[in-house]
Amino acid sequence: MRTLGMTMFFAAVVVSAYGSPTLAQPASSVPGKTAAKNATLPDPIVIDTSEGRITLPHLAHAKQFHCNTCHSEIEPGKIAWDKDTAHAYCRDCHTRNGKGPITCAECHKK
C-alpha cells in the first residue's frame, strides 16, 4: 500500500511539473482555455537552443488544441521542458497528426 501511495505522489508531481501527457484535442471540442478566450497569448514563441532557433506558432496551436495539451492543467504559463520532453510532446504530436516539423532541421533553424 505504501508503494502505491508513493507512486501516486510522484505521478502527481510529474503531472503538475510537466502537464498531463494527454492526446491533443481540437479546441472546438473543449470549452474554455482556447485562444479565443485568451487574446494575450505570446505569438510566436521563439526559443534559442544549442541546435538552433525554434519558432513556435503559439496562436495556431492554441486555436487547434486545448491549453493543457502542453501546459499544466492548473494554469498555463512558461514551459520548462528538457530536450527529451520537448521531443516527446512536439515531434511525436506532429508525427501523430501528420503535420508540423519532425526532423531536426525543420524545427531548429541556424
Side-chain angles (χ1 to χ4, degrees):
M1 184 66 153
R2 182 178 173 158
T3 303
L4 177 60
M6 291 301 291
T7 301
M8 291 175 67
F9 169 77
F10 286 114
V13 169
V14 168
V15 168
S16 67
Y18 295 107
S20 176
T22 58
L23 292 177
Q25 302 174 23
S28 60
S29 69
V30 182
K33 290 191 178 180
T34 61
K37 297 272 183 184
N38 184 359
T40 61
L41 292 172
D43 185 65
I45 294 176
V46 178
I47 306 161
D48 288 315
T49 73
S50 62
E51 296 299 318
R53 178 170 282 178
I54 299 169
T55 302
L56 171 75
H58 194 213
L59 187 58
H61 283 81
K63 286 180 178 178
Q64 188 172 2
F65 303 108
H66 190 278
C67 295
N68 75 2
T69 301
C70 300
H71 293 275
S72 167
E73 292 182 26
I74 299 168
E75 185 170 329
K78 187 174 180 178
I79 300 173
W81 287 345
D82 62 13
K83 174 184 170 183
D84 293 334
T85 304
H87 285 161
Y89 274 81
C90 303
R91 187 183 56 204
D92 293 354
C93 183
H94 293 168
T95 300
R96 263 193 324 275
N97 289 292
K99 63 181 182 179
I102 295 173
T103 67
C104 299
E106 287 174 325
C107 194
H108 297 266
K109 304 294 182 184
K110 295 200 179 218

